[in-house]
């Protein structure tokens, strides 16, 4: 093989150069060790239920905070520009703002998966290859590693905190929090669904069965398309839908 499987792979893959892209998309069914440090290695692995246990209470708490804050009647859109024409945001709007956050997450999920996780790092750049392998390449190399199918809470908190900060800058505080908590719920659903698509056994003909078949095609035949995981919706406008005839042949 091109790497020494007895040693951590993270520091080896950068030397593969132009061979990396082909190598990383040839799946194996074996565990991968990324780091020399046992502590760092433990932070890179997560059981699926940990994501739910960590973030579901956060979603519930922030939803309560958002709703009760909106109920005070102090939140208005465009109030920083004009008080005369500002629009009040009532507590009854919270479910719709929450769903908007989930919808925005689905778009963000697609964009991250396509343009970050599936970037093709320059063959001459050791560090970008290493970063790609850390973010997503190791999942494509070993798609059956159940300990690395969901995002570990420690690095996830940094990314989640970044997006919360962006929304705080763009929207009034409570409104931004309401959109954020909807997006966070969307992320939790995405991570749970991703694990299920790898290890679940949905009934044939169901929505989840179609998504599982779609994701399997993405891993083993169409790595440059099929970037939607929790939904195929965004693959349509971005023209990255996996051709339907590939499924019809198998049926």
């Amino acid at each position: 093989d091109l790497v020494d499987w007895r040693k951590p792979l993270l520091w080896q893959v950068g030397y593969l150069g132009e061979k990396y892209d082909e190598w990383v998309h040839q799946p194996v069914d074996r565990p991968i060790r990324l780091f020399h440090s046992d502590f760092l290695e433990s932070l890179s692995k997560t059981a699926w239920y940990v994501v739910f246990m960590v973030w579901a209470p956060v979603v519930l708490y922030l939803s309560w905070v958002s709703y009760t804050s909106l109920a005070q009647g102090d939140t208005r859109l465009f109030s920083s520009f004009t008080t005369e024409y500002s629009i009040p945001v009532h507590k009854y709007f919270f479910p719709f703002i929450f769903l908007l956050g989930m919808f925005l997450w689905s778009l963000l999920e697609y964009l991250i998966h396509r343009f970050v996780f599936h970037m093709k790092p320059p063959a001459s750049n050791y560090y970008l290859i290493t970063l790609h392998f850390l973010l997503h390449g190791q999942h494509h190399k070993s798609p059956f590693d159940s300990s690395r199918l969901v995002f570990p809470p420690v690095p996830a908190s940094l990314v989640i905190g970044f997006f919360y900060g962006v929304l705080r800058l763009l929207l009034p505080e409570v409104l931004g929090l309401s959109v954020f908590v909807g997006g966070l719920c969307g992320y939790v659903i995405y991570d749970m669904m991703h694990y299920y698509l790898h290890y679940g056994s949905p009934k044939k003909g169901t929505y989840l069965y179609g998504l599982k078949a779609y994701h399997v095609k993405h891993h083993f035949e169409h790595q440059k398309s099929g970037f939607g995981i929790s939904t195929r919706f965004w693959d349509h406008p971005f023209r990255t839908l996996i051709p339907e005839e590939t499924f019809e042949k198998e049926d």
Side-chain angles (χ1 to χ4, degrees), residues 128-140:
L128 280 181
I129 292 176
T130 302
L131 177 63
H132 177 268
F133 189 72
L134 177 64
L135 291 176
H136 198 61
Q138 46 89 13
H139 173 55
H140 268 266

Side-chain angles (χ1 to χ4, degrees), residues 204 213 217 221 245-251:
K204 189 171 184 179
K217 288 285 186 182
E221 294 182 39
E245 57 267 19
T246 63
F247 300 96
E248 294 173 357
K249 289 178 182 178
E250 289 192 357
D251 291 338

